């Protein structure tokens, strides 16, 4: 059965009411028929629910759908994408370990890597997203994990998953991939050797800017370790948010087809615009890693980025002149969103740090929505003018 079909048909076992849509299980704990059944649950001899910090039918349904879409063995859902990122670090890294990270990752992830992991004695070093040939030289005897995003945030660099997967296997390293920007209907990192795949479900998986959520999927034995960490530390996804996200996955494929179609048309229309020095979209032939994108992605995704020739002030002016596009700290919504990373999501980085990950003063990131493509493009063009 196709994973897209599985994501639509996977459902919690029906109750005696014979509902067609999964009900909400808004409960903190679960009951047992007798003492032996309760003992077996707490002894992990059964899969019975105990407490919603550990598991809940709504979270399980969402996880099962993500496992099917990503081609994984197991998963665990968290309260946010950053909770998923942090859990993936703290479960598998210890004092004295080294993590090799792609330099172009989400700003909050950089904060965790630079500010908090060193407090636990974990070393971090960065490698350039567009120079995978140099990654092997950065591996140390104490390297435990490679962490990366592709496409990267916000520059939309594409990293060769097959190449990095082989590198991780050669050196017996955990490959941890943030697949948030592509989504599993566009790209499946496990097929290229990833051990763990992370999502901020808040973005494309929800698709309507309603709820926070995160998820980690991967090999069963690894996810069990991550589950034990999260069970004790408590970053559980709420049943309501899990219910929303599970329903959202049923339309993910058709939504991403429209997002990607709109994004490609807009990127093609803006290429060569007099106010733009460069534009990046994975499925544009001009993208530096276009060949890799075609190899590992089913479409180019719903994000485009471009650089305004006028720098920081041009970026601010562009945002101020938009009439329809939203200015908000999210992406992956039905509604198109514009952001200026240098003054928002990556503002806390130093200028040197921003330059190191190609966040230029005039960089604009557009999360292309589901509105009619002509209306999205018209608003961008008038704001540029």
């Amino acid at each position: 059965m196709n994973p897209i079909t599985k994501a639509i048909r996977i459902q919690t076992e029906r109750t005696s009411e014979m509902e067609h849509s999964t009900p909400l299980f808004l409960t903190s704990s679960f009951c047992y028929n007798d003492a032996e059944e309760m003992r077996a649950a707490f002894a992990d001899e059964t899969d019975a629910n105990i407490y919603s910090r550990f598991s809940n039918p709504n979270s399980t349904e969402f996880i099962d759908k993500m496992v099917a879409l990503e081609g994984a063995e197991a998963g665990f859902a968290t309260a946010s994408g950053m909770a998923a990122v942090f859990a993936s670090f703290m479960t598998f890294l210890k004092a004295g370990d080294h993590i090799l990270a792609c330099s172009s990752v989400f700003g909050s992830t950089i904060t965790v890597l630079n500010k908090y992991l060193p407090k636990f004695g974990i070393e971090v070093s960065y490698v350039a997203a567009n120079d995978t040939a140099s990654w092997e030289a950065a591996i140390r005897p104490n390297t435990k994990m490679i962490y990366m995003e592709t496409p990267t945030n916000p520059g939309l660099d594409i990293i060769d998953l097959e190449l990095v997967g082989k590198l991780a296997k050669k050196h017996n390293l955990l490959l941890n991939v943030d697949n948030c920007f592509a989504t599993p209907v566009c790209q499946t990192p496990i097929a290229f050797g990833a051990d763990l795949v992370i999502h901020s479900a808040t973005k494309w998986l929800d698709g309507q800017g309603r709820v926070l959520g995160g998820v980690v999927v991967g090999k069963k034995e690894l996810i069990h370790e991550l589950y034990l960490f999260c069970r004790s530390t408590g970053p559980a996804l709420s049943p309501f948010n899990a219910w929303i996200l599970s329903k959202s996955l049923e339309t993910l494929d058709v939504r991403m087809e429209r997002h990607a179609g709109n994004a490609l048309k807009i990127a093609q229309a803006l290429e060569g615009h007099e106010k733009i020095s460069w534009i990046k979209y994975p499925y544009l032939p001009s993208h530096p890693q276009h060949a890799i994108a075609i190899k590992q992605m089913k479409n180019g995704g719903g994000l485009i980025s471009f650089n305004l020739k006028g720098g920081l002030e041009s970026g601010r002016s562009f945002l101020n002149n938009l009439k329809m596009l939203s200015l908000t700290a999210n992406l992956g919504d039905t509604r198109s969103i514009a952001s200026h990373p240098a003054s928002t999501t990556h503002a806390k980085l130093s200028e040197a740090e921003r330059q190191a990950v190609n966040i230029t003063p005039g960089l604009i990131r557009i999360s292309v929505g589901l509105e009619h493509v002509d209306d999205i493009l018209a608003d961008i063009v008038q704001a540029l003018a």
Side-chain angles (χ1 to χ4, degrees):
M1 186 182 291
N2 190 284
I4 292 166
T5 304
K6 288 181 181 180
I8 293 172
R9 301 305 305 190
I10 286 173
Q11 192 172 18
T12 303
E13 185 178 350
R14 288 191 178 108
T15 72
S16 59
E17 299 296 332
M18 295 300 291
E19 68 282 343
H20 187 232
S21 180
T22 300
L24 275 163
F25 291 88
L26 297 180
T27 179
S28 57
S29 62
F30 300 84
C31 296
Y32 309 93
N33 291 315
D34 53 49
E36 172 56 23
E37 189 175 280
M38 189 172 187
R39 182 208 64 78
F42 276 81
D44 292 329
E45 293 174 6
T46 69
D47 292 329
N49 293 305
I50 297 172
Y51 196 57
S52 282
R53 173 158 51 89
F54 307 167
S55 65
N56 177 283
N58 294 126
S59 296
T60 299
E61 184 180 285
F62 167 59
I63 292 165
D64 288 347
K65 290 182 177 184
M66 284 300 299
V67 166
L69 286 169
E70 285 284 4
E73 295 177 2
F76 187 81
T78 59
S80 70
M82 284 311 303
V85 170
F86 187 66
S88 76
F89 293 159
M90 298 310 296
T91 301
F92 302 106
L93 300 174
K94 65 182 186 305
D97 284 344
H98 171 247
I99 180 171
L100 189 64
C102 163
S103 57
S104 305
V105 293
F106 180 49
S108 293
T109 303
I110 291 174
T111 299
V112 171
L113 290 167
N114 290 351
K115 185 175 181 180
Y116 296 107
L117 290 194
K119 290 184 177 183
F120 296 94
I122 299 165
E123 298 178 306
V124 179
S125 59
Y126 294 96
V127 285
N130 57 4
D131 185 21
T132 47
S134 68
W135 284 30
E136 189 165 22
I139 295 172
R140 304 176 186 175
N142 61 331
T143 303
K144 181 73 176 289
M145 176 184 287
I146 296 176
Y147 178 82
M148 54 173 277
E149 298 175 6
T150 183
T152 61
N153 183 12
L156 301 186
D157 289 315
I158 305 296
I159 300 171
D160 192 329
L161 284 166
E162 183 179 19
L163 186 153
V164 181
K166 289 178 179 177
L167 181 65
K169 186 176 182 180
K170 176 182 176 181
H171 293 273
N172 196 29
L173 306 176
L174 286 174
L175 177 54
N176 189 357
V177 179
D178 183 334
N179 198 30
C180 174
F181 272 24
T183 84
V185 299
C186 172
Q187 175 177 275
T188 49
I190 288 171
F192 297 93
D195 300 293
L196 299 166
V197 176
I198 292 173
H199 287 271
S200 170
T202 313
K203 310 302 190 299
W204 303 108
L205 301 188
D206 172 28
Q208 295 184 54
R210 298 166 295 188
V211 298
L212 297 179
V215 64
V216 186
V217 301
K219 295 179 179 178
K220 189 173 182 179
E221 64 271 21
L222 297 177
I223 295 300
H224 181 66
E225 291 299 314
L226 186 134
Y227 159 73
L228 293 176
F229 173 81
C230 292
R231 171 173 168 157
S232 297
T233 55
L237 180 64
S238 78
F240 177 76
N241 287 13
W243 181 82
I244 290 285
L245 292 168
S246 182
K247 298 302 291 182
S248 296
L249 290 183
E250 296 176 14
T251 61
L252 179 62
D253 181 54
V254 292
R255 286 189 286 109
M256 290 311 300
E257 186 177 342
R258 175 68 172 266
H259 284 299
N262 280 355
L264 178 59
K265 289 176 183 176
I266 291 169
Q268 289 170 334
L270 293 179
E271 196 164 30
H273 192 284
E274 63 179 1
K275 298 286 182 70
I276 295 173
S277 58
W278 54 258
I279 185 166
K280 273 189 182 177
Y281 181 69
Y283 264 41
L284 274 184
S286 59
H287 190 289
Q289 296 94 35
H290 175 68
I292 299 171
I294 294 294
K295 178 180 74 170
Q296 67 191 32
M297 299 173 73
K298 294 175 184 145
N299 60 52
L303 291 158
I304 62 174
S305 64
F306 54 83
N307 187 66
L308 296 175
K309 293 179 180 178
L312 195 66
E313 288 308 312
S314 289
R316 288 174 176 157
S317 175
F318 173 77
L319 294 189
N320 288 335
N321 282 293
L322 288 168
K323 295 178 180 177
M324 184 185 77
L325 271 67
S326 304
L327 308 186
T328 183
N330 197 24
L331 61 91
D333 202 306
T334 53
R335 292 158 292 187
S336 296
I337 295 167
S339 68
H340 182 224
S343 64
T344 56
T345 53
H346 293 71
K348 292 181 181 178
L349 301 183
S350 68
E351 182 61 32
E353 287 174 326
R354 284 195 292 270
Q355 288 180 3
V357 293
N358 299 317
I359 298 176
T360 54
L363 178 65
I364 297 294
R365 186 188 72 193
I366 305 290
S367 171
V368 180
L370 301 180
E371 305 99 338
H372 194 283
V373 65
D374 292 348
D375 294 322
I376 305 170
L377 180 60
D379 194 31
I380 293 171
V381 169
Q382 69 81 24
L384 288 170

